[in-house]
Amino acid sequence: MSDTNDKKPAARKPLTLKKPGLGGSRSGSSAGRMKSVVVEKKKKKLIGVPGKADSPSPSTRVAPKPSPDAPIDQIAQEARKQGLSKSEYIKRQEALKSAAAEQSKKDALRKAEEDERKRRMDEERKALDAKKKAEDEAELRRLAQEEEERQREEAEAERRAPTVAQKLLAEDEAPGDKNALEQAGGRIKKKRGGGPKAKTTTKPNDRRRKGKLTIVSALSGDEERQRSLASVRRAREREKERQRGQTGEKLKVAREVTIPESISVGDLANRMAERTSDVIKYLMKQGTMATVNDVLDADTAQLIAEDFGHNVKRVAEADVEDDFIDIAPEDDSNLQSRAPVIAIMGHVDHGKTSLLDALRATDVAAGEAGGITQHIGAYQLKLKSGQAITVLDTPGHAAFSAMRTRGAEAVDIVVLVVAADDGVKPQTIESISHAKAAGAPIIVAVNKMDTYEADARKVETALLQHEIITESMSGETQSVHVSALKKTGLDDLAEAIGLQAELMDLKANPDREADGLVIESKVEKGRGPVATLLVKRGTLKRGDIVVAGSYWGKVKAMMDERNAQLKSAGPSIPVAVMGFDGAPMPGEPFAVVDSEAKAREITEYRVRKAKSDAASKPNAIASMEQMMAKLQGKEVSEMPVLVKGDVQGSVEAIRSSVEGAGNEEVQARVIHGAVGAISESDVLLAKSSSAPILAFNVRPNRQAKDLAEREGVEIRYYSIIYDLLDDVKGVLQGMLAPERRETFIGYAEILEVFNISKVGKVAGCRITEGRVERACGVRLLRENVVIHEGMLKTLKRFKDEVEKVQAGMECGMAFENYEDIRKSDQIECFTVEYVDRKLD
């Protein structure tokens, strides 16, 4: 064996060194070197073979083979026993281990497939059992229907055979065995040829049972079944009625059936007092497969009702709102005097809430953010004279125009507050127009008379332009000079309100169902939707079912402005009501209805109508603006926002103000506006719409806040509507494309055109007017026609690049990406700047 031989003997241990002369052999080479080689002889061992004397005893059995992660000495020992190296032994053990893992995986997969096959077989078995059960039930129903038809035929035969019935009556009068009825039934069947005579037995229970239909007898096809005792009794009752002079047949009653625009099959059957199965059979005969819950149109329902012999009254779906609010005139004997409802209106910061505070001797203005009223406050006050008045404090900010409109519609008298040092302002004029539209008389309260600049005469003169003529100017409008800060003139104001209310002679009927207006609504944590209602007529009691807009509810609790619990509220009393299933829109009329079914019917109709109106009548103004913008090659950029507020009126005001803040290029769109705290669903909606959340006097719960932080949804908090509108306008202004402004700077005339290598054509020019600046905009004029517009690439004087060249000097100019220049062409030079735009 040579040193260069790479082959290794199969299953042989690595070479080891031994002492010379111990079983070694000598190997020579061409160089004459001697090498000692150890030769090992392996013996075959038979382990555990039966019948062999040399098989090892249990004490000498081979130990389990070590795993690859066993100690190194144990692995080396086992490897030597098998004639392998340590690496080969470890690889073999790993291969065996992976093979065992693969086999176990295959076994698990085979077991899962077997389980799945068993599950499918179980499901198929269950399906077959269910199908068989359904078929059995259908067969039983068919048998029961056949039995019903047979009994109907027997009853008809009995009606046509009076002699047999008379015999039955005679047998009934004579005392006898109870089985006579059974025998009489058998005689009737025999006379009709309907079957053999019933067998008589000694057991009365068997005779009674034999005439009854059971599942076993129906499936076995027993032909000897006789009539039941109840059937014979019914026959006797019909005969008795016939002998009393009655026909024994029910007369068909023609009913007046009210049919709306759509009605279900079951509801139509109930209104006709017909069986639902008869209506379904009729439809099947007409070729229409229908179920109890299928909806029919009005024409189809009318045809069905007329074919059944009934009279039809067609009504529209909107008729559910008929008599929702009773507008019939009241009997004068039921009318009683009520407190006047006044609204304090005027421009922002003219002292409306401060004047009300002075009347209430409380400080509400300090609790309003920014010192401005952002809600409609409803209070009932008792003046020093003992007279009670209901006051609505409306906001004066321009964004709350809708609130002022609702305030004017709900009141009897409008107190117009005008600051003596400020005069008539835009919201003052708007309040006057609202009061005139509502037909409410106006009392002018000239406030801030304690200031140095106060001039009441100037205010009254300015009101003349708006047809408000005060008493001091020979008019009919009362004018009172007050100071909310010094609390002066308050008695005169109260006297003016009382005088005006006395002239109006305000009365209402408290003994009827209540109705009125929703002043405000909100969602409070722990209390749910809370609506502020102003009762105009009737008395609202706890437990009444109230409908307002698209929401209804049962009055669970009523509170006044001091959070005192009330059991009832009469005319002109504002109350906060709990129990609605949602926050109704402010300004919606409310009324008490008779039942929950009526309330659901009205609200469901209003919800359907609102959805259909929204789908069929999109915003025409926005659509026209978008159409015009697209026609001009412009796309309207929209900023989606999500608005959450504390009360419904604030949400409505923010929505109208935000959506009206844009122009024909940029707009803000409120994708969702609601009352209450910010929830997780609001955050998810804002995330999907890429919209920020504008929170007005509300906060998110903990889960919604964490979700907003994870999803990157921005929530901006506001307590003053000025700040909210300013931020929205700032974002919209940033969305506006900047305005491009072009400024003319000079003219140049081309005297000669030079063709320079590596540069191209260069125009040798003289500046005829103004100046030319490097990198300015240029227009190439040829015979006063613009043939190119671009940028100036090179401006040189002699061989130097210069910043500008003044009039009368010569220079060289080259254009960017344009070389079609000729002698005598004119060059118009200008600069361009982009200016940020602002919303109007």
Side-chain angles (χ1 to χ4, degrees):
M1 175 181 277
S2 63
D3 294 340
T4 59
N5 189 5
D6 295 334
K7 290 186 178 180
K8 293 183 180 179
R12 183 166 295 177
K13 291 186 178 180
L15 297 176
T16 57
L17 296 178
K18 283 191 176 184
K19 295 181 180 180
L22 295 178
S25 63
R26 302 177 65 86
S27 174
S29 63
S30 60
R33 292 181 298 175
M34 303 299 290
K35 184 176 183 182
S36 178
V37 179
V38 178
V39 180
E40 181 183 4
K41 294 182 180 180
K42 300 187 67 174
K43 296 181 180 180
K44 293 183 179 179
K45 293 183 180 181
L46 298 177
I47 301 175
V49 179
K52 297 292 183 179
D54 58 349
S55 59
S57 62
S59 60
T60 60
R61 287 179 182 173
V62 180
K65 297 179 181 180
S67 60
D69 51 355
I72 297 176
D73 296 336
Q74 188 177 355
I75 292 174
Q77 182 180 1
E78 186 65 23
R80 284 195 300 271
K81 288 181 181 181
Q82 297 185 12
L84 301 174
S85 64
K86 282 194 292 185
S87 61
E88 289 176 342
Y89 177 81
I90 292 173
K91 290 181 180 179
R92 176 175 293 183
Q93 293 300 319
E94 290 176 349
L96 292 174
K97 187 176 180 180
S98 62
E102 186 69 23
Q103 184 62 31
S104 63
K105 187 182 299 182
K106 290 181 180 179
D107 294 340
L109 182 61
R110 188 180 303 107
K111 186 176 182 302
E113 291 176 352
E114 183 67 20
D115 295 341
E116 179 65 17
R117 186 179 63 80
K118 290 181 180 179
R119 186 185 63 80
R120 286 200 300 268
M121 291 178 63
D122 293 339
E123 289 178 353
E124 291 175 357
R125 189 184 305 109
K126 290 180 181 178
L128 290 174
D129 293 342
K131 183 178 180 181
K132 184 177 180 181
K133 184 178 179 182
E135 291 175 353
D136 293 341
E137 291 176 354
E139 182 65 16
L140 289 178
R141 286 196 297 270
R142 185 184 65 80
L143 292 174
Q145 188 174 2
E146 291 178 356
E147 177 61 19
E148 185 180 355
E149 292 292 334
R150 189 186 65 76
Q151 291 182 3
R152 191 180 296 110
E153 291 174 359
E154 290 177 357
E156 184 68 17
E158 291 169 1
R159 187 179 65 81
R160 295 176 181 176
T163 56
V164 178
Q166 290 174 1
K167 291 181 181 180
L168 294 175
L169 289 174
E171 290 177 0
D172 182 63
E173 297 296 335
D177 192 7
K178 293 183 179 180
N179 62 3
L181 292 174
E182 291 291 325
Q183 297 173 2
R187 290 198 300 274
I188 293 174
K189 289 187 66 176
K190 185 174 181 181
K191 189 174 185 63
R192 291 180 58 251
K197 187 176 179 181
K199 296 180 181 180
T200 59
T201 59
T202 58
K203 294 182 180 180
N205 291 338
D206 293 342
R207 290 196 298 271
R208 291 174 62 86
R209 289 286 179 183
K210 184 166 291 189
K212 293 189 176 181
L213 178 65
T214 62
I215 296 176
V216 176
S217 61
L219 293 177
S220 62
D222 187 7
E223 298 294 336
E224 296 184 358
R225 188 177 61 83
Q226 298 184 10
R227 292 183 58 189
S228 65
L229 182 62
S231 176
V232 178
R233 285 178 176 173
R234 287 195 298 268
R236 292 169 54 195
E237 291 296 330
R238 284 193 294 270
E239 184 60 29
K240 287 181 180 180
E241 291 178 358
R242 190 178 300 110
Q243 294 217 351
R244 293 192 195 106
Q246 299 181 3
T247 61
E249 295 180 358
K250 286 188 177 181
L251 295 176
K252 186 73 174 181
V253 179
R255 302 177 183 274
E256 185 180 39
V257 182
T258 302
I259 298 178
E261 295 177 3
S262 60
I263 187 173
S264 66
V265 174
D267 193 9
L268 178 61
N270 291 334
R271 296 189 183 191
M272 295 190 301
E274 302 284 352
R275 292 192 302 178
T276 307
S277 59
D278 294 340
V279 179
I280 294 176
K281 288 179 183 178
Y282 173 83
L283 290 172
M284 292 174 66
K285 290 178 181 178
Q286 302 299 324
T288 302
M289 301 299 294
T291 62
V292 178
N293 297 322
D294 285 350
V295 178
L296 305 173
D297 59 89
D299 295 335
T300 304
Q302 181 177 356
L303 291 174
I304 295 172
E306 290 176 350
D307 286 350
F308 274 83
H310 299 289
N311 301 322
V312 175
K313 178 183 177 183
R314 294 280 292 270
V315 295
E317 192 176 10
D319 292 343
V320 298
E321 292 194 355
D322 288 349
D323 302 329
F324 172 61
I325 297 180
D326 187 9
I327 58 174
E330 298 283 353
D331 188 2
D332 293 341
S333 61
N334 298 328
L335 299 180
Q336 298 180 11
S337 298
R338 65 175 178 86
V341 180
I342 67 171
I344 298 181
M345 304 177 70
H347 192 71
V348 63
D349 291 335
H350 275 203
K352 300 180 296 300
T353 306
S354 299
L355 180 60
L356 179 59
D357 294 343
L359 292 173
R360 298 177 62 231
T362 58
D363 188 8
V364 176
E368 291 284 354
I372 63 170
T373 301
Q374 302 177 112
H375 306 147
I376 289 183
Y379 315 96
Q380 189 168 47
L381 309 179
K382 285 190 177 181
L383 304 178
K384 293 181 179 179
S385 60
Q387 182 183 10
I389 62 172
T390 300
V391 182
L392 304 182
D393 181 19
T394 62
H397 190 268
F400 298 96
S401 175
M403 287 191 183
R404 286 192 295 277
T405 304
R406 292 195 300 273
E409 291 176 352
V411 301
D412 305 311
I413 304 171
V414 173
V415 176
L416 183 65
V417 178
V418 186
D421 59 346
D422 203 8
V424 178
K425 292 296 179 182
Q427 273 69 61
T428 308
I429 301 171
E430 186 180 352
S431 300
I432 294 172
S433 62
H434 290 328
K436 289 183 177 179
I442 297 175
I443 297 176
V444 178
V446 184
N447 194 20
K448 300 185 180 181
M449 290 299 296
D450 56 316
T451 59
Y452 178 77
E453 300 86 357
D455 189 351
R457 190 73 177 178
K458 181 180 178 181
V459 171
E460 294 177 357
T461 303
L463 290 174
L464 292 174
Q465 301 178 9
H466 307 286
E467 301 178 357
I468 302 296
I469 306 174
T470 60
E471 291 178 342
S472 61
M473 294 188 174
S474 303
E476 297 181 355
T477 303
Q478 298 184 75
S479 178
V480 182
H481 299 170
V482 297
S483 172
L485 183 62
K486 302 296 183 180
K487 293 182 173 55
T488 59
L490 300 180
D491 294 339
D492 296 337
L493 179 60
E495 183 180 354
I497 294 172
L499 178 61
Q500 187 65 49
E502 186 178 353
L503 291 174
M504 298 177 69
D505 191 19
L506 302 172
K507 293 184 178 181
N509 180 12
D511 301 326
R512 52 161 292 161
E513 299 293 348
D515 62 69
L517 288 178
V518 178
I519 301 300
E520 192 55 88
S521 63
K522 58 184 175 180
V523 178
E524 294 185 3
K525 186 176 181 180
R527 301 174 72 181
V530 179
T532 302
L533 308 181
L534 176 63
V535 182
K536 298 183 70 175
R537 299 184 300 175
T539 301
L540 183 63
K541 299 179 289 295
R542 190 183 301 173
D544 286 345
I545 299 172
V546 183
V547 175
S550 301
Y551 301 99
W552 72 277
K554 181 178 288 187
V555 178
K556 297 179 180 178
M558 291 190 298
M559 292 79 67
D560 60 8
E561 67 274 6
R562 301 173 185 84
N563 283 330
Q565 293 286 339
L566 301 177
K567 293 185 178 180
S568 62
S572 300
I573 297 179
V575 289
V577 173
M578 296 171 54
F580 281 96
D581 58 352
M585 292 294 293
E588 290 281 359
F590 80 88
V592 175
V593 297
D594 299 333
S595 62
E596 294 184 5
K598 179 70 173 177
R600 288 194 185 94
E601 192 176 9
I602 294 174
T603 53
E604 288 173 359
Y605 161 71
R606 291 180 175 178
V607 170
R608 288 194 304 270
K609 186 173 183 298
K611 289 182 179 179
S612 61
D613 291 345
S616 60
K617 295 180 180 179
N619 191 343
I621 297 177
S623 299
M624 289 296 294
E625 290 177 351
Q626 293 175 5
M627 183 183 68
M628 294 301 295
K630 289 180 180 178
L631 289 176
Q632 296 174 3
K634 300 177 182 177
E635 289 290 339
V636 178
S637 299
E638 286 189 343
M639 181 186 71
V641 295
L642 192 147
V643 177
K644 294 300 291 285
D646 54 345
V647 295
Q648 191 69 44
S650 298
V651 174
E652 183 183 347
I654 293 171
R655 180 193 291 271
S656 60
S657 301
V658 166
E659 291 183 346
N663 56 16
E664 67 277 359
E665 295 183 35
V666 293
Q667 292 178 352
R669 179 170 59 91
V670 179
I671 59 174
H672 179 63
V675 177
I678 299 171
S679 63
E680 294 175 85
S681 59
D682 296 329
V683 176
L684 293 175
L685 177 59
K687 172 66 177 178
S688 61
S689 305
S690 300
I693 299 177
L694 307 182
F696 189 76
N697 287 333
V698 294
R699 292 293 184 271
N701 55 39
R702 182 66 181 177
Q703 295 80 4
K705 187 175 181 180
D706 295 341
L707 181 62
E709 292 176 355
R710 290 196 305 269
E711 299 293 341
V713 176
E714 181 183 14
I715 302 177
R716 301 183 70 89
Y717 305 99
Y718 300 94
S719 59
I720 303 175
I721 196 170
Y722 294 117
D723 301 336
L724 187 148
L725 295 180
D726 290 343
D727 286 355
V728 171
K729 288 182 179 179
V731 175
L732 292 177
Q733 287 177 0
M735 295 170 60
L736 286 172
E739 182 181 359
R740 183 177 183 270
R741 291 185 181 178
E742 182 180 303
T743 305
F744 168 78
I745 58 174
Y747 276 115
E749 180 182 1
I750 299 178
L751 303 178
E752 193 63 54
V753 177
F754 305 97
N755 197 351
I756 302 175
S757 61
K758 297 183 181 180
V759 177
K761 290 185 178 182
V762 178
C765 308
R766 177 188 294 116
I767 309 303
T768 58
E769 181 181 346
R771 68 184 185 278
V772 177
E773 296 179 356
R774 188 169 61 180
C776 67
V778 292
R779 292 188 183 94
L780 185 63
L781 307 179
R782 186 172 296 161
E783 296 179 356
N784 293 326
V785 176
V786 178
I787 62 174
H788 173 70
E789 181 175 344
M791 300 297 295
L792 189 63
K793 180 174 67 173
T794 302
L795 178 63
K796 288 188 176 183
R797 180 163 173 77
F798 301 108
K799 294 184 179 181
D800 301 328
E801 285 279 349
V802 293
E803 290 291 333
K804 66 176 71 174
V805 179
Q806 297 293 339
M809 302 175 69
E810 294 182 356
C811 63
M813 290 188 289
F815 299 163
E816 286 185 357
N817 302 323
Y818 191 78
E819 294 185 353
D820 185 16
I821 54 178
R822 301 178 186 175
K823 186 179 179 180
S824 302
D825 287 349
Q826 297 288 328
I827 299 175
E828 179 182 349
C829 302
F830 57 89
T831 59
V832 177
E833 61 179 346
Y834 292 92
V835 181
D836 292 337
R837 298 167 57 194
K838 293 184 179 180
L839 290 172
D840 296 336

